[in-house]
Amino acid sequence: MTSRTPRDSRLRLVRNRPMATARRPAVNRGSRPAPRPPEGTPPPAELARRARAGLTGAVAVAHWAAAEHGAPGALSDEAAARAAAALGLSEPEVRSDWDRARLIGLIEHHAGTTRPGWRLQAWDRDDSAVLRGWVALLDAWSLACPAPAAAEPTAVAEVVEAVPQLLSLLQLSAGPMQISALLDMLRQRVAELRTERCEVPQDATELRDATEPQEPARGAGSAGSPDDAEDTATLEGLLDWALDALSSVGALTVREEPQDGPDGPESAGSAADDAKGDSREAELSALGNWAVWVKLEQICVAAQSPAGNIEQPAADMLRGCAGLTPGPARAEYRAWLAARPVGSAVTELIEAARGDDALLRGLAFEALRVVGAPAEPAVRAVVDESCLRPYALLWLAEHEGADPDEALDALTREEATWLWVDTAAAISDHGESPLLVRHLESAVQGTVPALLEEVRAVGHPRTVQVLVALAAAHPDPALAKAVRRAAFQVHTGGA
């Protein structure tokens, strides 16, 4: 083909390479042999049996809801009473099992009603589904057993964020630990969290030091460390709550009488003699030990991988995963999530999705799919935000059992058009122009004029840039001209 004005309008961001030399998915990323669980860990079948034994109540409530053919999405007093009568339980027990069934994925909300989740159907035959459900419950332990109503929300959030470190310490100790040692570790971790949050401008500090009389030092607790008596009492109470909650989900056991460690009683820990619960010990169960070991292994694998995004904030982690194929990307998401509390991780991903980069928006919701049920409240909370609504609706549709290929039916035509523009913006910023041209074929509109009309009306902030990039990339001069005209009309505010 010849042209009087030879040019190549395709905006190649990478050079063409033969398939033999092209970068392939990192299927052999780790020559590292598959890690072996700690000595004494039961096989997966036995772990799954124990998980089933601890969740019989949640399974019974899920089967009751399935038999109701559309139980209410929120368990009403009347429904709780009927379930209690049918199952021979008290109403508080029914509500507790109901919440656990939701967190595990045994039941799912859909259109205001509750229906069986896919995990309930696989519960008796799929050990891996049972173990994933139990790990989801462990991740959501603070939702399964809410904090005392009188507890300060900030202190509760600090303890929830510190618990993964306590669990890691218990797993690495390979035996029981004194509660007093865990309390010391909790105090240290909370002090670190408070120090990280406390960012006083240096100028303001110098001015205050110059104008205010100096007070006698009150110890580390006055600088944000929880050393005063009231703070210590608060942490003791919240540690008891956390241990009770983790014990109730089957992650650990608490014993009143200490057991001697391998080097005698002194090896169990060193703490103040007057600490509350000094004689008690906590030890991970077989399930808890296995689950924490899996999370630590994920962290180690991520730290050794070429991507290595585990210590990055959510936005940087997502950028680092942008060039990975879906499998390795999901592995990075899992490792990143394993290294932080699920609540703060979900909040960070949602915040990254609110940014200007459309690619990160899509990747953030892919990472939230890895989170699963614990992310549902946060995803529902952003449904009314225009930039996140299409992604949130698709996430919820898939979470409620819709096939990914049919989930688009959950969007209105306007929402689907907004998502089309947002995806085109991601391709324009990070992809190749042929991909942008092919993206034109995925629009719900049947014709290009109809697409352009609805794109102009949808009000996406990147509409002009997307249309300009599409016009530059499209090989059809007539269509490119129409797209450029539409971009000009949006830019000038014309009809």
Side-chain angles (χ1 to χ4, degrees):
M1 183 179 74
T2 60
S3 171
R4 296 181 61 185
T5 56
R7 64 187 179 188
D8 186 353
S9 63
R10 293 171 292 174
L11 307 177
R12 289 197 184 96
L13 300 182
V14 295
R15 57 188 175 85
N16 289 331
R17 289 179 292 180
M19 287 298 294
T21 61
R23 185 172 69 89
R24 291 173 292 181
V27 293
N28 295 321
R29 168 179 290 182
S31 56
R32 184 175 181 259
R36 298 176 63 86
E39 185 178 356
T41 301
E46 172 62 16
L47 291 172
R49 187 194 66 78
R50 298 186 186 191
R52 289 187 180 99
L55 296 171
T56 54
V59 174
V61 167
H63 281 299
W64 172 84
E68 288 288 301
H69 301 294
L75 191 64
S76 65
D77 292 341
E78 187 270 336
R82 285 192 289 114
L87 300 173
L89 302 173
S90 67
E91 291 190 23
E93 289 174 329
V94 167
R95 292 190 179 278
S96 175
D97 289 335
W98 178 273
D99 290 339
R100 293 187 179 204
R102 285 193 59 198
L103 294 171
I104 297 169
L106 297 174
I107 56 177
E108 299 172 346
H109 288 343
H110 182 71
T113 61
T114 298
R115 66 184 185 184
W118 70 268
R119 190 161 280 151
L120 180 62
Q121 302 170 11
W123 191 256
D124 293 328
R125 55 180 171 79
D126 190 339
D127 290 344
S128 64
V130 173
L131 292 176
R132 286 196 299 270
W134 188 87
V135 170
L137 179 63
L138 175 61
D139 289 339
W141 65 268
S142 60
L143 300 178
C145 301
E152 174 65 33
T154 301
V156 172
E158 291 170 342
V159 170
V160 170
E161 189 166 355
V163 160
Q165 187 169 351
L166 301 186
L167 292 175
S168 299
L169 182 63
L170 281 167
Q171 199 278 331
L172 294 173
S173 69
M177 287 191 63
Q178 289 186 346
I179 301 299
S180 56
L182 293 176
L183 179 60
D184 282 346
M185 176 61 70
L186 177 63
R187 293 169 60 182
Q188 293 175 26
R189 180 58 182 150
V190 170
E192 294 172 359
L193 294 172
R194 293 179 181 178
T195 301
E196 292 170 2
R197 290 203 312 268
C198 183
E199 298 178 356
V200 180
Q202 183 177 359
D203 294 342
T205 303
E206 293 174 353
L207 179 61
R208 184 190 62 192
D209 293 342
T211 58
E212 294 184 0
Q214 297 293 321
E215 296 183 0
R218 299 192 308 170
S222 60
S225 176
D227 283 344
D228 57 67
E230 181 180 354
D231 223 5
T232 298
T234 298
L235 289 181
E236 287 177 349
L238 289 176
L239 177 59
D240 284 343
W241 159 67
L243 293 175
D244 288 343
L246 291 166
S247 178
S248 73
V249 301
L252 54 77
T253 56
V254 177
R255 288 189 292 267
E256 295 296 334
E257 295 296 330
Q259 295 182 352
D260 291 352
D263 301 321
E266 296 81 11
S267 66
S270 58
D273 291 337
D274 59 349
K276 178 183 177 183
D278 186 62
S279 65
R280 294 181 300 157
E281 290 182 336
E283 183 176 11
L284 290 176
S285 67
L287 273 169
N289 189 65
W290 167 80
V292 177
W293 170 79
V294 168
K295 291 181 181 294
L296 292 175
E297 279 299 315
Q298 290 172 344
I299 293 172
C300 293
V301 170
Q304 298 175 21
S305 71
N309 297 297
I310 186 171
E311 296 182 356
Q312 301 297 326
D316 292 340
M317 180 274 293
L318 295 172
R319 290 189 187 96
C321 294
L324 300 178
T325 52
R330 282 191 294 270
E332 292 289 331
Y333 300 153
R334 292 189 188 98
W336 186 86
L337 291 165
R340 45 192 47 79
V342 65
S344 61
V346 169
T347 299
E348 203 173 335
L349 289 170
I350 292 290
E351 194 58 34
R354 289 192 177 104
D356 295 331
D357 195 329
L359 178 63
L360 296 193
R361 195 154 27 250
L363 294 178
F365 277 86
E366 287 299 321
L368 289 171
R369 286 179 173 86
V370 174
V371 177
E376 181 182 358
V379 174
R380 289 192 183 278
V382 301
V383 164
D384 293 331
E385 298 185 29
S386 59
C387 68
L388 302 182
R389 180 175 176 80
Y391 295 95
L393 291 175
L394 289 178
W395 190 97
L396 291 170
E398 294 178 21
H399 179 65
E400 292 170 353
D403 188 281
D405 295 333
E406 300 175 356
L408 279 173
D409 295 339
L411 304 182
T412 65
R413 192 178 181 94
E414 181 180 359
E415 292 161 353
T417 302
W418 199 99
L419 181 62
W420 184 91
V421 178
D422 207 49
T423 306
I427 297 172
S428 175
D429 291 340
H430 302 278
E432 300 182 5
S433 54
L435 183 59
L436 185 60
V437 174
R438 290 197 298 272
H439 181 58
L440 188 63
E441 302 172 0
S442 68
V444 296
Q445 293 78 8
T447 64
V448 171
L451 170 65
L452 295 178
E453 180 179 354
E454 295 187 28
V455 164
R456 290 200 303 265
V458 80
H460 193 289
R462 294 290 305 279
T463 299
V464 174
Q465 294 93 325
V466 164
L467 293 178
V468 169
L470 180 59
H474 207 284
D476 186 336
L479 190 146
K481 182 178 180 180
V483 173
R484 278 193 298 270
R485 183 185 303 114
F488 179 77
Q489 290 172 343
V490 175
H491 178 67
T492 59

